[in-house]
Amino acid sequence: MGAEQILTNRPLPGARVNMAHPLALDLRGCWFLNETGGLRAMDCSPYGNHGLLAGFPLAGRPFNGLYFDGANTNIAVPDATSIAAFPNGITLEAWVMPKATMTDNGILYKGEKSVSNGDWVMRIAASSRIVISFNNATAVHTGAVGITDTAHIYHIVGTYDLGKVSLFMDGQADGNTAYTTALTPSAFGAEIGMYFSTSYRFTGFIYLVRIWGRALSADEVKNLYISPYKPMGLPFFL
């Protein structure tokens, strides 16, 4: 389902988020990664945290997601209060298709480049399982589902609701770990496709990244998996 759904109703470059959509509540970042040229990955949320593309061709990129080569490519998002302060929880979402054996490669990361423990992290561990962590790795959950199919588009969602860290894979819960401490923001930027250093880059396609300043419910996550661009039957973009 995921590989089919990600291609359905994909927005054109320049699309805007429908902020009247229920799932747009406290949306802090939305990168459709549909730019076929240029130097920036546009953030379509109201905050405009545009990312700087590194290592990608300047023109002729595929419309359906960006290909990360595992060696030179990543997207740097500058630090901003909107992606650093989360008093009510947080949700990280990414649609990815790995194209190589995944061993401790980064999908999303915010923190100091020389330190592996960041504000928030979504990565694929050496076990090929997804690790979600917050607050300098004091809040960590490792999923049970391995990322092993290089022909599958995975929908990965990590949340923190001021009580537990939860992981969802392809719309289904993949466990949680209790944690009750408020998140402490840092002044460091974020990365898409890299985990704290250039040695931990992602290889494969990343199609869509979104961040919320709240923890989505299980039903909301399922709606995003069923239809990432038109959840609940309503357009998420204009």
Side-chain angles (χ1 to χ4, degrees):
M1 176 185 286
E4 298 171 356
Q5 290 296 327
I6 196 67
L7 301 176
T8 302
N9 297 320
R10 185 164 177 80
L12 294 171
R16 296 176 293 112
V17 171
N18 175 15
M19 294 308 297
H21 196 290
L23 279 169
L25 176 64
D26 211 5
L27 183 71
R28 301 293 189 91
C30 178
W31 297 269
F32 287 130
L33 304 183
N34 59 357
E35 294 86 6
T36 57
L39 290 171
R40 295 198 294 176
M42 305 303 291
D43 173 18
C44 300
S45 81
Y47 296 98
N49 297 320
H50 308 310
L52 180 64
L53 295 159
F56 296 94
L58 295 181
R61 298 193 298 263
F63 175 67
N64 289 315
L66 284 177
Y67 180 74
F68 292 72
D69 65 9
N72 301 297
T73 51
N74 64 282
I75 301 172
V77 180
D79 177 53
T81 301
S82 55
I83 59 170
F86 299 100
N88 301 311
I90 181 175
T91 296
L92 306 175
E93 178 198 22
W95 286 85
V96 306
M97 178 191 282
K99 301 306 289 183
T101 301
M102 294 283 98
T103 56
D104 209 12
N105 290 335
I107 299 172
L108 304 175
Y109 175 80
K110 183 182 184 300
E112 187 175 0
K113 293 297 182 292
S114 60
V115 178
S116 61
N117 299 330
D119 293 23
W120 39 260
V121 179
M122 176 188 289
R123 64 184 177 90
I124 304 174
S127 62
S128 295
R129 294 185 294 169
I130 292 293
V131 175
I132 299 291
S133 70
F134 302 105
N135 244 19
N136 294 313
T138 57
V140 182
H141 178 72
T142 301
V145 179
I147 304 294
T148 57
D149 187 348
T150 58
H152 180 74
I153 298 177
Y154 292 90
H155 183 225
I156 306 169
V157 176
T159 68
Y160 176 57
D161 62 3
L162 307 186
K164 62 184 181 300
V165 179
S166 301
L167 176 63
F168 300 84
M169 293 287 293
D170 289 348
Q172 301 297 316
D174 192 13
N176 61 76
T177 298
Y179 186 76
T180 58
T181 302
L183 303 184
T184 303
S186 75
F188 298 103
E191 298 284 349
I192 299 174
M194 193 173 79
Y195 167 50
F196 92 87
S197 84
T198 57
S199 298
Y200 300 94
R201 296 181 190 267
F202 181 81
T203 303
F205 288 94
I206 300 181
Y207 298 87
L208 169 64
V209 171
R210 286 184 284 220
I211 300 173
W212 285 261
R214 64 185 180 92
L216 298 187
S217 69
D219 285 343
E220 288 177 313
V221 172
K222 188 171 184 179
N223 280 323
L224 288 171
Y225 172 65
I226 292 172
S227 182
Y229 302 117
K230 198 174 180 181
M232 304 167 67
L234 303 171
F236 204 95
F237 61 92
L238 301 173

